[in-house]
Amino acid sequence: MAQRQESGCLPCTNCFVTVPQDKYYAVENFGKFDHMLNPGLSFAGFDLCGCCVSFRSITSRVDQLVVDVHTKTKDNVFVTAKVAVQQSVKPDNVVDAMYKLSDVHAQIDSYVSDVVRSSVPHMTLDESFEKKDDISNQVQQKLLVEMGHYGFQIHKALVTEMVPNREVVQSMNEINKQKRLRD
C-alpha cells in the first residue's frame, strides 16, 4: 500500500489531473495538504511549471500482505507462521492513511509478529496447528484496533501455514515411516 507522487496531465503544469477510479489523490500546494480529488478530470489549482501544485496518491483497492513470523512453541520446536493480512484505506480516513504512516507494511508486520510471538510460545506444536483460527482472530482484533487509528480497515487476517523446522518435519516423517513398517 505504497503512496506515489503523481503528475498532472498537461506538460509543465499540474493544473489538471486525471484521477483513476481505483485511487485517491491528495492535492498539495507548496508541499502542504490542500484537498482530495474525485475520480475523473479535475482542476487542482493554478500552477507554474509544476512547482506550486503536487499530487500524492494511494490505492483504494484491497491489498494483501503476507507476513512470515519465526517463533518457538512450548515444546521447543521452531515454526514459521505465514499470516496473510488483507487491508484497504477507509474512504472517510484517506488523509490519515496518506500522512500518518510512512510504511504501512512494516507497521502491520510489527503488529502481526507481536501477536504471533506472544501466543504461539504458550502452545505445543500440535496445538498451534489446531488453533490457527484463534491466532488469526487475535491478529485481526489487534490490527482492527491499531490500524484503524491510521485510516486503514482490516478485512481479514489468516494464518495460512504453520511450517515447522525442516529437521522436525524429517523426524516426524521418519517416525511415521517406522510406524507403517511395524504395521
Side-chain angles (χ1 to χ4, degrees):
M1 182 120 338
Q3 297 179 27
R4 293 185 44 189
Q5 292 289 340
E6 303 288 348
S7 60
C9 57
L10 296 175
C12 297
T13 183
N14 284 334
C15 292
F16 291 96
V17 66
T18 304
V19 180
Q21 185 69 37
D22 66 339
K23 292 200 178 200
Y24 297 112
Y25 270 43
V27 177
E28 297 174 343
N29 289 327
F30 297 102
K32 182 179 186 283
F33 171 75
D34 189 47
H35 64 279
M36 298 299 298
L37 295 176
N38 294 321
L41 181 64
S42 297
F43 177 73
F46 294 104
D47 189 31
L48 181 63
C49 298
C51 63
C52 303
V53 176
S54 58
F55 305 105
R56 189 179 294 226
S57 72
I58 193 166
T59 185
S60 62
R61 294 181 181 201
V62 174
D63 187 28
Q64 178 166 302
L65 170 67
V66 177
V67 180
D68 291 339
V69 182
H70 305 285
T71 188
K72 186 170 139 178
T73 63
K74 188 177 185 178
D75 48 356
N76 294 325
V77 176
F78 286 95
V79 295
T80 301
K82 292 184 184 274
V83 183
V85 179
Q86 299 161 351
Q87 86 275 358
S88 65
V89 175
K90 290 180 183 178
D92 42 333
N93 293 74
V94 177
V95 175
D96 290 341
M98 282 188 175
Y99 294 101
K100 281 193 172 181
L101 280 179
S102 62
D103 191 348
V104 176
H105 289 164
Q107 191 71 37
I108 290 174
D109 191 306
S110 297
Y111 286 129
V112 170
S113 296
D114 179 51
V115 171
V116 171
R117 287 190 181 127
S118 66
S119 60
V120 172
H122 299 290
M123 303 175 190
T124 63
L125 180 62
D126 291 338
E127 288 172 342
S128 68
F129 279 99
E130 293 168 5
K131 296 183 178 181
K132 285 193 318 185
D133 289 338
D134 294 344
I135 298 168
S136 294
N137 291 335
Q138 290 174 5
V139 169
Q140 186 166 349
Q141 289 305 313
K142 176 77 168 179
L143 288 174
L144 278 170
V145 171
E146 299 298 334
M147 294 307 291
H149 300 302
Y150 300 112
F152 289 92
Q153 166 180 341
I154 304 301
H155 298 279
K156 200 70 178 163
L158 300 168
V159 177
T160 57
E161 280 185 88
M162 294 294 271
V163 182
N165 197 349
R166 192 173 42 162
E167 290 85 22
V168 172
V169 172
Q170 289 173 346
S171 298
M172 293 170 80
N173 287 340
E174 188 63 34
I175 290 168
N176 288 334
K177 180 181 169 186
Q178 294 300 324
K179 281 183 183 178
R180 280 193 300 271
L181 290 174
R182 277 186 282 169
D183 294 340

